[in-house]
Amino acid sequence: MDTLYTAEALAIGGGRNGHVSTTDGLINTDVRVPTSMGGPGGAPNPELFFAAGYAACFHSALLSVARAQKVTIEDSSVGSRVHIGPNGEGGFQLAVELEVVIPNLPHDQAQALADAAHQVCPYSNATRGNIDVTVTVTDD
């Protein structure tokens, strides 16, 4: 692989109840286990970062696919829900729901763009076959 960019981060002080930072200083925050998982909450958690990253990456892939197909899309959005739960083997697993909204585009065409984006998005490629990812196109 020809590397185009490398992100570098460090977690210290307790994992999910610790601190994360990136070498460029753009992220520098405490992290906490959410209250729904028995933690103190009040700070981001790894799943929030993953959800934000996946939504942004998928949206970029969607826009790229649309440009390549010469389809103009405006006011589109991608929402992401990252779920965490027990895997039945003493560990945990993730599942992701992506919601794609492309106003003023026929549903079938929007779904085709979302399906194509799912094939090229780096997050989708990294998770394919490892976790359940559902991509849904909604009208608003």
Side-chain angles (χ1 to χ4, degrees), residues 19-39:
H19 191 88
V20 295
S21 61
T22 56
T23 55
D24 60 12
L26 293 175
I27 296 175
N28 186 14
T29 187
D30 288 339
V31 290
R32 297 287 179 264
V33 174
T35 55
S36 64
M37 291 176 63

PDB file of all heavy atoms in Angstrom, residues 19-39:
ATOM      1  N   HIS A  19      -7.122   8.953  28.935  1.00  0.00           N
ATOM      2  CA  HIS A  19      -6.920  10.147  28.125  1.00  0.00           C
ATOM      3  C   HIS A  19      -6.404   9.711  26.758  1.00  0.00           C
ATOM      4  O   HIS A  19      -5.591   8.792  26.660  1.00  0.00           O
ATOM      5  CB  HIS A  19      -5.893  11.073  28.805  1.00  0.00           C
ATOM      6  CG  HIS A  19      -5.812  12.420  28.190  1.00  0.00           C
ATOM      7  ND1 HIS A  19      -6.618  13.457  28.573  1.00  0.00           N
ATOM      8  CD2 HIS A  19      -5.015  12.901  27.201  1.00  0.00           C
ATOM      9  CE1 HIS A  19      -6.320  14.531  27.855  1.00  0.00           C
ATOM     10  NE2 HIS A  19      -5.346  14.216  27.005  1.00  0.00           N
ATOM     11  N   VAL A  20      -6.881  10.384  25.713  1.00  0.00           N
ATOM     12  CA  VAL A  20      -6.379  10.130  24.368  1.00  0.00           C
ATOM     13  C   VAL A  20      -5.908  11.436  23.761  1.00  0.00           C
ATOM     14  O   VAL A  20      -6.460  12.510  24.020  1.00  0.00           O
ATOM     15  CB  VAL A  20      -7.436   9.472  23.447  1.00  0.00           C
ATOM     16  CG1 VAL A  20      -7.797   8.076  23.933  1.00  0.00           C
ATOM     17  CG2 VAL A  20      -8.671  10.327  23.298  1.00  0.00           C
ATOM     18  N   SER A  21      -4.867  11.309  22.964  1.00  0.00           N
ATOM     19  CA  SER A  21      -4.365  12.479  22.245  1.00  0.00           C
ATOM     20  C   SER A  21      -3.753  12.015  20.930  1.00  0.00           C
ATOM     21  O   SER A  21      -3.369  10.855  20.786  1.00  0.00           O
ATOM     22  CB  SER A  21      -3.330  13.233  23.078  1.00  0.00           C
ATOM     23  OG  SER A  21      -2.227  12.394  23.359  1.00  0.00           O
ATOM     24  N   THR A  22      -3.691  12.941  19.999  1.00  0.00           N
ATOM     25  CA  THR A  22      -3.037  12.663  18.734  1.00  0.00           C
ATOM     26  C   THR A  22      -1.748  13.468  18.672  1.00  0.00           C
ATOM     27  O   THR A  22      -1.627  14.513  19.320  1.00  0.00           O
ATOM     28  CB  THR A  22      -3.946  13.025  17.541  1.00  0.00           C
ATOM     29  OG1 THR A  22      -4.340  14.396  17.640  1.00  0.00           O
ATOM     30  CG2 THR A  22      -5.174  12.126  17.511  1.00  0.00           C
ATOM     31  N   THR A  23      -0.798  12.969  17.907  1.00  0.00           N
ATOM     32  CA  THR A  23       0.508  13.624  17.856  1.00  0.00           C
ATOM     33  C   THR A  23       0.429  15.028  17.282  1.00  0.00           C
ATOM     34  O   THR A  23       1.268  15.868  17.597  1.00  0.00           O
ATOM     35  CB  THR A  23       1.519  12.791  17.034  1.00  0.00           C
ATOM     36  OG1 THR A  23       0.970  12.547  15.743  1.00  0.00           O
ATOM     37  CG2 THR A  23       1.828  11.481  17.731  1.00  0.00           C
ATOM     38  N   ASP A  24      -0.599  15.314  16.463  1.00  0.00           N
ATOM     39  CA  ASP A  24      -0.743  16.660  15.919  1.00  0.00           C
ATOM     40  C   ASP A  24      -1.491  17.595  16.861  1.00  0.00           C
ATOM     41  O   ASP A  24      -1.658  18.773  16.584  1.00  0.00           O
ATOM     42  CB  ASP A  24      -1.434  16.624  14.551  1.00  0.00           C
ATOM     43  CG  ASP A  24      -2.822  16.013  14.594  1.00  0.00           C
ATOM     44  OD1 ASP A  24      -3.374  15.802  15.697  1.00  0.00           O
ATOM     45  OD2 ASP A  24      -3.358  15.727  13.508  1.00  0.00           O
ATOM     46  N   GLY A  25      -1.991  17.063  18.004  1.00  0.00           N
ATOM     47  CA  GLY A  25      -2.671  17.879  19.004  1.00  0.00           C
ATOM     48  C   GLY A  25      -4.124  18.195  18.695  1.00  0.00           C
ATOM     49  O   GLY A  25      -4.779  18.889  19.471  1.00  0.00           O
ATOM     50  N   LEU A  26      -4.651  17.695  17.579  1.00  0.00           N
ATOM     51  CA  LEU A  26      -6.037  18.007  17.227  1.00  0.00           C
ATOM     52  C   LEU A  26      -7.044  17.313  18.138  1.00  0.00           C
ATOM     53  O   LEU A  26      -8.150  17.810  18.334  1.00  0.00           O
ATOM     54  CB  LEU A  26      -6.309  17.658  15.764  1.00  0.00           C
ATOM     55  CG  LEU A  26      -5.553  18.531  14.757  1.00  0.00           C
ATOM     56  CD1 LEU A  26      -5.790  18.039  13.337  1.00  0.00           C
ATOM     57  CD2 LEU A  26      -5.966  19.999  14.895  1.00  0.00           C
ATOM     58  N   ILE A  27      -6.683  16.156  18.664  1.00  0.00           N
ATOM     59  CA  ILE A  27      -7.495  15.496  19.690  1.00  0.00           C
ATOM     60  C   ILE A  27      -6.653  15.406  20.943  1.00  0.00           C
ATOM     61  O   ILE A  27      -5.512  14.935  20.917  1.00  0.00           O
ATOM     62  CB  ILE A  27      -7.955  14.097  19.245  1.00  0.00           C
ATOM     63  CG1 ILE A  27      -8.877  14.200  18.019  1.00  0.00           C
ATOM     64  CG2 ILE A  27      -8.660  13.368  20.392  1.00  0.00           C
ATOM     65  CD1 ILE A  27      -9.281  12.863  17.433  1.00  0.00           C
ATOM     66  N   ASN A  28      -7.217  15.873  22.038  1.00  0.00           N
ATOM     67  CA  ASN A  28      -6.522  15.856  23.324  1.00  0.00           C
ATOM     68  C   ASN A  28      -7.611  15.914  24.394  1.00  0.00           C
ATOM     69  O   ASN A  28      -8.004  16.996  24.838  1.00  0.00           O
ATOM     70  CB  ASN A  28      -5.569  17.046  23.425  1.00  0.00           C
ATOM     71  CG  ASN A  28      -4.718  16.986  24.676  1.00  0.00           C
ATOM     72  OD1 ASN A  28      -4.634  15.951  25.341  1.00  0.00           O
ATOM     73  ND2 ASN A  28      -4.092  18.084  25.006  1.00  0.00           N
ATOM     74  N   THR A  29      -8.137  14.735  24.763  1.00  0.00           N
ATOM     75  CA  THR A  29      -9.305  14.726  25.638  1.00  0.00           C
ATOM     76  C   THR A  29      -9.326  13.492  26.532  1.00  0.00           C
ATOM     77  O   THR A  29      -8.758  12.452  26.196  1.00  0.00           O
ATOM     78  CB  THR A  29     -10.603  14.784  24.799  1.00  0.00           C
ATOM     79  OG1 THR A  29     -11.721  14.930  25.670  1.00  0.00           O
ATOM     80  CG2 THR A  29     -10.785  13.540  23.939  1.00  0.00           C
ATOM     81  N   ASP A  30     -10.005  13.636  27.651  1.00  0.00           N
ATOM     82  CA  ASP A  30     -10.283  12.476  28.485  1.00  0.00           C
ATOM     83  C   ASP A  30     -11.334  11.620  27.791  1.00  0.00           C
ATOM     84  O   ASP A  30     -12.132  12.121  26.985  1.00  0.00           O
ATOM     85  CB  ASP A  30     -10.822  12.908  29.854  1.00  0.00           C
ATOM     86  CG  ASP A  30      -9.749  13.526  30.728  1.00  0.00           C
ATOM     87  OD1 ASP A  30      -8.548  13.293  30.488  1.00  0.00           O
ATOM     88  OD2 ASP A  30     -10.117  14.272  31.661  1.00  0.00           O
ATOM     89  N   VAL A  31     -11.343  10.349  28.097  1.00  0.00           N
ATOM     90  CA  VAL A  31     -12.378   9.432  27.646  1.00  0.00           C
ATOM     91  C   VAL A  31     -12.962   8.740  28.869  1.00  0.00           C
ATOM     92  O   VAL A  31     -12.260   8.539  29.869  1.00  0.00           O
ATOM     93  CB  VAL A  31     -11.850   8.391  26.622  1.00  0.00           C
ATOM     94  CG1 VAL A  31     -11.528   9.060  25.295  1.00  0.00           C
ATOM     95  CG2 VAL A  31     -10.650   7.648  27.141  1.00  0.00           C
ATOM     96  N   ARG A  32     -14.227   8.406  28.788  1.00  0.00           N
ATOM     97  CA  ARG A  32     -14.908   7.755  29.901  1.00  0.00           C
ATOM     98  C   ARG A  32     -15.865   6.694  29.381  1.00  0.00           C
ATOM     99  O   ARG A  32     -16.479   6.855  28.325  1.00  0.00           O
ATOM    100  CB  ARG A  32     -15.715   8.762  30.733  1.00  0.00           C
ATOM    101  CG  ARG A  32     -14.891   9.839  31.406  1.00  0.00           C
ATOM    102  CD  ARG A  32     -14.100   9.287  32.589  1.00  0.00           C
ATOM    103  NE  ARG A  32     -13.292  10.311  33.211  1.00  0.00           N
ATOM    104  CZ  ARG A  32     -11.999  10.523  32.955  1.00  0.00           C
ATOM    105  NH1 ARG A  32     -11.355   9.779  32.095  1.00  0.00           N
ATOM    106  NH2 ARG A  32     -11.341  11.480  33.577  1.00  0.00           N
ATOM    107  N   VAL A  33     -16.036   5.660  30.174  1.00  0.00           N
ATOM    108  CA  VAL A  33     -17.045   4.643  29.894  1.00  0.00           C
ATOM    109  C   VAL A  33     -18.410   5.310  30.035  1.00  0.00           C
ATOM    110  O   VAL A  33     -18.665   6.015  31.016  1.00  0.00           O
ATOM    111  CB  VAL A  33     -16.919   3.454  30.875  1.00  0.00           C
ATOM    112  CG1 VAL A  33     -18.053   2.467  30.682  1.00  0.00           C
ATOM    113  CG2 VAL A  33     -15.562   2.776  30.724  1.00  0.00           C
ATOM    114  N   PRO A  34     -19.323   5.119  29.046  1.00  0.00           N
ATOM    115  CA  PRO A  34     -20.650   5.726  29.152  1.00  0.00           C
ATOM    116  C   PRO A  34     -21.439   5.169  30.332  1.00  0.00           C
ATOM    117  O   PRO A  34     -21.224   4.026  30.759  1.00  0.00           O
ATOM    118  CB  PRO A  34     -21.319   5.390  27.822  1.00  0.00           C
ATOM    119  CG  PRO A  34     -20.489   4.344  27.184  1.00  0.00           C
ATOM    120  CD  PRO A  34     -19.154   4.340  27.820  1.00  0.00           C
ATOM    121  N   THR A  35     -22.344   5.974  30.833  1.00  0.00           N
ATOM    122  CA  THR A  35     -23.137   5.556  31.995  1.00  0.00           C
ATOM    123  C   THR A  35     -23.949   4.304  31.692  1.00  0.00           C
ATOM    124  O   THR A  35     -24.158   3.479  32.585  1.00  0.00           O
ATOM    125  CB  THR A  35     -24.085   6.689  32.457  1.00  0.00           C
ATOM    126  OG1 THR A  35     -24.886   7.106  31.358  1.00  0.00           O
ATOM    127  CG2 THR A  35     -23.294   7.873  32.990  1.00  0.00           C
ATOM    128  N   SER A  36     -24.388   4.131  30.423  1.00  0.00           N
ATOM    129  CA  SER A  36     -25.176   2.948  30.071  1.00  0.00           C
ATOM    130  C   SER A  36     -24.367   1.659  30.193  1.00  0.00           C
ATOM    131  O   SER A  36     -24.935   0.570  30.248  1.00  0.00           O
ATOM    132  CB  SER A  36     -25.742   3.073  28.655  1.00  0.00           C
ATOM    133  OG  SER A  36     -24.692   3.120  27.711  1.00  0.00           O
ATOM    134  N   MET A  37     -23.041   1.792  30.262  1.00  0.00           N
ATOM    135  CA  MET A  37     -22.172   0.624  30.446  1.00  0.00           C
ATOM    136  C   MET A  37     -21.602   0.577  31.859  1.00  0.00           C
ATOM    137  O   MET A  37     -20.656  -0.156  32.137  1.00  0.00           O
ATOM    138  CB  MET A  37     -21.027   0.650  29.431  1.00  0.00           C
ATOM    139  CG  MET A  37     -21.476   0.424  27.999  1.00  0.00           C
ATOM    140  SD  MET A  37     -20.138   0.560  26.786  1.00  0.00           S
ATOM    141  CE  MET A  37     -19.053  -0.797  27.270  1.00  0.00           C
ATOM    142  N   GLY A  38     -22.177   1.389  32.775  1.00  0.00           N
ATOM    143  CA  GLY A  38     -21.750   1.376  34.162  1.00  0.00           C
ATOM    144  C   GLY A  38     -20.619   2.323  34.486  1.00  0.00           C
ATOM    145  O   GLY A  38     -20.076   2.291  35.586  1.00  0.00           O
ATOM    146  N   GLY A  39     -20.257   3.183  33.549  1.00  0.00           N
ATOM    147  CA  GLY A  39     -19.168   4.121  33.770  1.00  0.00           C
ATOM    148  C   GLY A  39     -19.658   5.481  34.222  1.00  0.00           C
ATOM    149  O   GLY A  39     -20.862   5.717  34.360  1.00  0.00           O
TER     150      GLY A  39
END
